[in-house]
Amino acid sequence: DGSQADSFSSRFGPRRIREESVLLRPANPSTGALPFQSLMVADLGDVNVNLYNLQDSCRLIREAYQKIVAAGCIPLTLGGDHTITYPILQAMAEKHGPVGLVHVDAHMDTADTALGEKLYHGTPFRRCVDEGLLDCKRVVQIGIRGSSMTLDTYRYSRSQGFRVVLAEDCWMKSLVPLMGKVRQQMGVRPIYISFDIDGLDPAYAPGTGTPEIAGLTPSQVRRLHQ
């Protein structure tokens, strides 16, 4: 879902992604992917948000994705911080029911509150569980690492039935065996893939507001998506 950066840099993330995308060519020889031949692809533009009201921004995002999903589109979202995943999943679950989740991130984003607020980039998946948007037996979180307020920071996710794959369990390993297990776990029902840029080690992707050392490498991330 993009960088958990400050609001200014996240706001202009989509613009920078479009600028960088001109360097991409239409074929990927290593994977055999030809997306513009196998898919009907369109840039639907930026989703409007209210820069001064997070709750209203979530409403606007949810309503935009309700229209996208109703039109039969499969959304691919770039930019923003992880808060946006919550209203997107509201729209997805409204059509498909509880969905599976493959979540690549340094952080689990399952906190309950911050400074008394229930909604921010560290709480989206807690809110999704509260509202029954996730099929919790089909949720996998990969690349989790970094400091925490407590030593039992993984307890909530695991108590909900999530598979939590710590970054240290990925070090110096191919992730092909892991993804074989994940695909089997996900089955054929709808899933949502959420990728936070800080899932990558900051040596490769420093443009995040929440860098955590010892993360995934680009080659490992490619294996996650093959």
Side-chain angles (χ1 to χ4, degrees), residues 57-122:
S57 289
C58 286
R59 176 188 63 82
L60 292 167
I61 294 168
R62 180 180 67 252
E63 291 176 355
Y65 278 80
Q66 286 170 335
K67 294 176 182 177
I68 292 169
V69 172
C73 296
I74 299 174
L76 172 62
T77 307
L78 301 171
D81 72 29
H82 231 147
T83 312
I84 70 173
T85 310
Y86 167 54
I88 293 172
L89 283 171
Q90 286 180 317
M92 300 296 289
E94 185 177 302
K95 178 173 181 178
H96 299 291
V99 299
L101 174 69
V102 177
H103 171 211
V104 183
D105 201 328
H107 313 96
M108 290 177 293
D109 293 348
T110 55
D112 190 22
T113 63
L115 300 177
E117 295 298 322
K118 289 268 189 181
L119 190 58
Y120 84 110
H121 63 72

Side-chain angles (χ1 to χ4, degrees), residues 101 103 108-113 118 122-134 136 139 141 148 150-164:
L101 174 69
H103 171 211
M108 290 177 293
D109 293 348
T110 55
D112 190 22
T113 63
K118 289 268 189 181
T123 66
F125 300 116
R126 184 73 161 245
R127 302 288 79 83
C128 289
V129 171
D130 291 345
E131 295 184 17
L133 309 179
L134 297 177
C136 293
V139 174
Q141 299 182 295
S148 175
T150 65
L151 290 178
D152 61 352
T153 185
Y154 317 122
R155 183 175 62 181
Y156 175 81
S157 286
R158 287 173 169 159
S159 71
Q160 300 303 312
F162 297 3
R163 179 198 293 260
V164 179

Side-chain angles (χ1 to χ4, degrees), residues 8 11-12 14 30 36 51 60 101 121 125 129 134 141 166 170 180 194 197 204:
F8 182 85
R11 175 186 174 191
F12 293 108
S30 64
F36 291 98
L51 298 178
L60 292 167
L101 174 69
H121 63 72
F125 300 116
V129 171
L134 297 177
Q141 299 182 295
L166 305 182
C170 301
S194 184
I197 193 64
Y204 306 105

Side-chain angles (χ1 to χ4, degrees), residues 3-5 105-107 121 145 196-198 206-212:
S3 168
Q4 292 179 347
D105 201 328
H107 313 96
H121 63 72
R145 63 191 189 279
D196 193 317
I197 193 64
D198 66 29
T208 172
T210 53
E212 301 282 2

